[in-house]
Amino acid sequence: MKNLYRPIESVIEDIKDETPNIKTYRFRPKEPVTFEAGQFVELTVPGVGEAPFTPSSNPNVTETMEITIMEVGSVTDALAKMKVGDTVGIRGPYGKGYDLKDFEGREILIMGGGVGLAPLRSLILALFDDIDKYKKISIRYGARTPADIVYKDLLPKWEQMKNTEVLQTIDEPHPDWKGTVGVVTVLLDDLPLVTTVDVESLPFDPKTAIACVCGPPIMLKFVNMGLLDKGWNPENIFHSMERNMSCGLGKCGHCMMGEYYICKDGPVMTAAQVAKFEDPF
Amino acid sequence: MRGVGPNAHIKREGWPEMKEVFIGRENLLRLIGRWAKDHRVYVPVTFDIMNHEETPDYQLVGDEIPEKLCLEGAALAHTPKSFLFYPREVVAKYPSSDSEAEVEAPPTILVGPRACDVRGIEKFDKVYWSTEHFTEEYDDPFVIEKRKNTYIVSLDCTAAKDSCFCTEVGGEPFPKGGFDVNLSPIEVGFILTVGSERGEKLMAGSDDLVSEVQPNHKEDRDRQRNSVIEAVKRQNAEYAVDVAYEKHELGEDQDAWAHVTQNCVACGACNRACPTCTCFILVDQRAKGGYERTRNWDTCLSIGYARTGGGGNSRPNLPSRLENRLRCKYEYSRDRYGLVTCTGCGRCIDVCMGLIDMREALKHVVTEKAKA
């Protein structure tokens, strides 16, 4: 029988600094590892252990995989010390991807906070590949300081894409920053409470628009509240849940949330699915 | 294997249709001896440690059947999970280009699981080998191979431990299915029930050891069974609640959970003793020729269990973790697998160093929830 715990050897082909503690790695697995936007993989640093990551690269590119990773724990700290040419392990993909077919013809709001933009990048790139199928792509991104912004070189290019807008904010005023200031939810201020205005004039149709949200738990909580207040359909709000996904197989139990295993039923869960939990984030 | 379902070899439907024979004690020992020729056979024995009689537990049969063989009483110290899902096991060696799993699963016969243990195995089938909830790529070779090579020879309980409560969670102190062979101790020997095709294979060639079951044997067994049912029910009357066990909603009231968690030290003994705790943690380390990954039993009561890389923790305090453990047994497994996974074996009560009685805990949170 197939061994589902074996990591597939993957060589680090490139490392790019995004911020002082975030890097984007490009891996070349020795056996093909394909994924859909929204799915994740388990990355092994040999002898140290595994951690779950959603790839940041285009799912339509299959020979290599990019992952943007922040140094936050034992696996990511050890990874940060590795060099181009070193070998890691990858197993997966796991979980459910976004149903992009269902996104067609709709407005799509993509909200990222900090390194939370990294998993959304694979979604953004997949959407860009078929950009004519979507009504609008609105990327809204918040970082703590200008130095903490990831994909500094890519954001201006994304803005040039058809039917696409990019809005950014930083948490506190900074001499190098001329744009919006405030936590990421300020980027929802142009979405009025639906009861007060005519739906036609809204930047999004709250009944049909899709929201894909990834960031720290506190951000998910407030974006969720914000969007629900503004009349969005909880079935259309997709949160990337942060849980300790250790095996990725729906077995080890670490990522359990009620009867859900986030690694198998998620990692993307709708606001409707998590509504029954007192504090799901 | 796929397409037939994990439990296709087990008849779970009914007691009366199964083949029953009588076997005397001496002949049973002979039968075990025959099995031991080409299987690892584990039998229940009593242990005296420093003049203290411990709960009977499994012992491997060597050239002779152990003298302190004990086929009476209630559940053994260990659950069958120790044989299907090792406390620590190498699950991968890397780097490796071999995608096949290396699994050691010698033919094994377990004599001694009780009804609560047999029910517990069902959870392992659901999690590690299930066509309903997982597709084939999620099959776990390490559990499945052992499961396929492990024969269950269960026993009726002839007595109840103080902590037994199987009758309160839909069980009975004797198995109705899920075994290959079951032994019901009666005054003059045993009624042996063949519960599966695998069980028939175990009995092949041993017609010389068995005889027809007599009506008085069955009367004896029924009397025996009823007396244990009564004993378990009697000792659990004080923990009764108004809600049926399969309908429990234990709630999120942190005051109620804090109350029942007062004496918990998060040691995880209840997880380890539980026949349905299936959770694990993967640990990587250096090994000869590279690295190895081991799978280890884990405990959801430890603070690091749900902790993520950035330090976030969805269950940061002990009451929320004990809540998760008990709701996992009564609510989450029911909602996910259609199976309440507390089998009432009472081991979590036996091993708790904080002397927490899960029946009391359950009663408290259910009662508080009803008030809310």
Side-chain angles (χ1 to χ4, degrees):
Chain A
M1 285 176 77
K2 200 183 112 214
N3 187 353
L4 58 187
Y5 299 101
R6 176 187 71 110
I8 292 168
E9 276 183 88
S10 307
V11 177
I12 303 177
E13 218 174 54
D14 185 52
I15 302 174
K16 181 182 153 211
D17 287 317
E18 299 284 353
T19 77
N21 65 350
I22 301 175
K23 295 185 175 86
T24 296
Y25 302 80
R26 189 170 69 237
F27 304 105
R28 185 174 288 272
K30 291 191 174 170
E31 297 161 36
V33 181
T34 55
F35 67 97
E36 289 169 24
Q39 287 190 301
F40 72 98
V41 297
E42 291 285 348
L43 181 79
T44 302
V45 174
V48 178
E50 283 186 311
F53 299 99
T54 296
S56 320
S57 50
N58 189 332
N60 299 323
V61 175
T62 52
E63 303 78 37
T64 59
M65 178 186 289
E66 286 177 15
I67 310 181
T68 300
I69 296 171
M70 181 157 76
E71 291 166 47
V72 292
S74 55
V75 172
T76 51
D77 288 355
L79 181 68
K81 295 191 181 79
M82 298 183 86
K83 298 182 294 293
V84 170
D86 287 348
T87 301
V88 297
I90 290 178
R91 99 191 143 81
Y94 299 119
K96 290 187 178 140
Y98 295 101
D99 182 2
L100 296 189
K101 201 104 197 102
D102 194 46
F103 288 11
E104 287 177 13
R106 305 209 211 186
E107 296 144 338
I108 300 163
L109 167 65
I110 293 174
M111 289 218 65
V115 75
L117 188 60
L120 294 170
R121 187 180 148 213
S122 61
L123 170 66
I124 291 168
L125 296 176
L127 295 175
F128 283 170
D129 276 0
D130 284 310
I131 195 139
D132 290 330
K133 289 184 179 163
Y134 312 102
K135 200 165 168 190
K136 169 180 174 178
I137 298 172
S138 178
I139 300 165
R140 304 187 175 200
Y141 177 48
R144 258 184 330 124
T145 72
D148 292 313
I149 295 173
V150 295
Y151 309 137
K152 291 181 191 72
D153 51 334
L154 298 175
L155 288 162
K157 290 181 191 161
W158 292 353
E159 212 166 6
Q160 303 304 316
M161 297 295 293
K162 202 169 141 189
N163 298 335
T164 303
E165 62 176 12
V166 176
L167 277 64
Q168 290 188 69
T169 181
I170 60 164
D171 285 2
E172 309 258 342
H174 191 280
D176 297 342
W177 188 254
K178 304 278 183 290
T180 311
V181 173
V183 293
V184 67
T185 40
V186 301
L187 298 178
L188 296 177
D189 286 352
D190 65 324
L191 280 57
L193 291 169
V194 274
T195 46
T196 61
V197 286
D198 167 28
V199 172
E200 290 297 305
S201 67
L202 291 172
F204 299 91
D205 177 350
K207 289 209 163 43
T208 61
I210 300 280
C212 299
V213 193
C214 184
I218 186 82
M219 171 193 149
L220 298 188
K221 182 174 175 173
F222 283 99
V223 169
N224 191 53
M225 273 163 50
L227 291 175
L228 293 175
D229 281 350
K230 288 163 200 282
W232 285 53
N233 181 348
E235 302 277 356
N236 293 339
I237 305 171
F238 296 88
H239 295 290
S240 295
M241 301 300 291
E242 183 176 272
R243 285 293 186 280
N244 177 359
M245 298 179 289
S246 173
C247 74
L249 304 161
K251 302 190 193 309
C252 81
H254 288 254
C255 68
M256 264 182 91
M257 185 173 88
E259 75 271 28
Y260 296 121
Y261 280 75
I262 297 301
C263 72
K264 190 124 196 325
D265 305 313
V268 173
M269 303 283 279
T270 65
Q273 282 176 298
V274 302
K276 66 172 173 176
F277 298 98
E278 207 167 298
D279 187 8
F281 308 110
Chain B
M1 179 189 76
R2 189 52 54 182
V4 295
N7 299 320
H9 59 286
I10 293 169
K11 288 181 194 155
R12 287 186 187 274
E13 59 276 10
W15 183 257
E17 306 148 27
M18 295 179 188
K19 186 183 159 195
E20 292 178 350
V21 289
F22 171 81
I23 187 165
R25 190 180 167 92
E26 288 308 312
N27 279 352
L28 178 62
L29 299 186
R30 284 190 192 100
L31 181 64
I32 292 172
R34 287 181 190 175
W35 288 341
K37 282 181 190 147
D38 42 15
H39 298 84
R40 295 189 310 178
V41 182
Y42 291 86
V43 293
V45 297
T46 51
F47 294 96
D48 287 319
I49 299 177
M50 302 177 69
N51 292 326
H52 177 71
E53 195 175 303
E54 299 285 330
T55 309
D57 207 354
Y58 294 101
Q59 186 176 320
L60 183 63
V61 174
D63 293 335
E64 284 178 20
I65 311 287
E67 227 174 86
K68 293 187 167 178
L69 180 72
C70 171
L71 300 169
E72 293 80 40
L76 308 179
H78 275 84
T79 70
K81 85 170 173 188
S82 308
F83 297 90
L84 304 172
F85 173 69
Y86 294 165
R88 182 176 181 278
E89 180 169 20
V90 175
V91 291
K93 288 180 179 160
Y94 64 88
S96 162
S97 54
D98 184 5
S99 63
E100 290 295 300
E102 265 179 60
V103 189
E104 262 189 58
T108 301
I109 298 173
L110 288 186
V111 181
R114 300 313 208 268
C116 49
D117 298 331
V118 173
R119 279 179 82 190
I121 294 172
E122 220 177 320
K123 169 84 182 297
F124 282 85
D125 287 346
K126 295 270 188 199
V127 174
Y128 290 98
W129 185 14
S130 175
T131 47
E132 279 169 74
H133 299 274
F134 297 97
T135 47
E136 197 170 339
E137 73 223 72
Y138 287 90
D139 275 350
D140 186 297
F142 301 93
V143 172
I144 291 173
E145 292 299 334
K146 293 187 194 74
R147 176 83 169 96
K148 285 200 282 193
N149 285 342
T150 303
Y151 296 82
I152 304 296
V153 178
S154 52
L155 276 167
D156 285 8
C157 290
T158 60
K161 292 179 293 162
D162 293 346
S163 58
C164 287
F165 61 105
C166 61
T167 54
E168 310 306 295
V169 288
E172 275 161 330
F174 52 90
K176 287 180 168 170
F179 54 83
D180 297 305
V181 169
N182 183 64
L183 296 167
S184 309
I186 53 174
E187 214 171 316
V188 291
F190 300 85
I191 294 179
L192 185 154
T193 308
V194 180
S196 71
E197 280 175 28
R198 288 151 48 97
E200 278 167 25
K201 277 184 204 152
L202 282 186
M203 294 309 295
S206 289
D207 286 349
D208 58 320
L209 301 180
V210 301
S211 58
E212 207 173 311
V213 178
Q214 302 303 317
N216 65 322
H217 295 157
K218 287 192 183 185
E219 282 163 24
D220 196 6
R221 178 181 70 189
D222 291 348
R223 195 165 42 242
Q224 173 69 41
R225 285 177 168 183
N226 287 334
S227 83
V228 184
I229 290 174
E230 287 311 313
V232 178
K233 283 189 174 165
R234 200 164 44 239
Q235 69 187 20
N236 285 292
E238 59 180 299
Y239 306 109
V241 287
D242 291 339
V243 191
Y245 79 98
E246 73 273 33
K247 297 223 161 66
H248 277 323
E249 297 294 334
L250 308 185
E252 296 179 14
D253 176 2
Q254 290 306 291
D255 289 341
W257 286 107
H259 176 81
V260 301
T261 314
Q262 280 175 75
N263 290 340
C264 177
V265 293
C267 69
C270 52
N271 296 112
R272 291 177 171 84
C274 180
T276 63
C277 272
T278 51
C279 292
F280 63 82
I281 185 166
L282 296 170
V283 177
D284 287 23
Q285 59 201 18
R286 281 185 180 279
K288 207 177 163 194
Y291 306 92
E292 68 181 15
R293 172 164 297 160
T294 58
R295 173 165 72 186
N296 305 264
W297 288 1
D298 203 1
T299 161
C300 56
L301 294 172
S302 76
I303 189 162
Y305 186 78
R307 190 162 53 206
T308 54
N313 196 334
S314 54
R315 292 188 287 276
N317 55 56
L318 198 45
S320 67
R321 297 198 291 276
L322 190 65
E323 174 199 333
N324 179 67
R325 173 168 151 70
L326 279 187
R327 294 182 73 191
C328 175
K329 299 293 168 204
Y330 285 91
E331 294 181 49
Y332 307 155
S333 295
R334 173 195 67 198
D335 296 343
R336 189 174 182 81
Y337 300 114
L339 197 70
V340 170
T341 52
C342 176
T343 69
C345 74
R347 290 185 179 92
C348 53
I349 302 166
D350 298 337
V351 300
C352 184
M353 68 168 90
L355 304 179
I356 299 172
D357 190 319
M358 297 302 164
R359 297 169 293 190
E360 270 171 31
L362 196 72
K363 184 177 180 179
H364 183 77
V365 294
V366 169
T367 312
E368 290 300 306
K369 167 82 179 166
K371 278 189 213 162

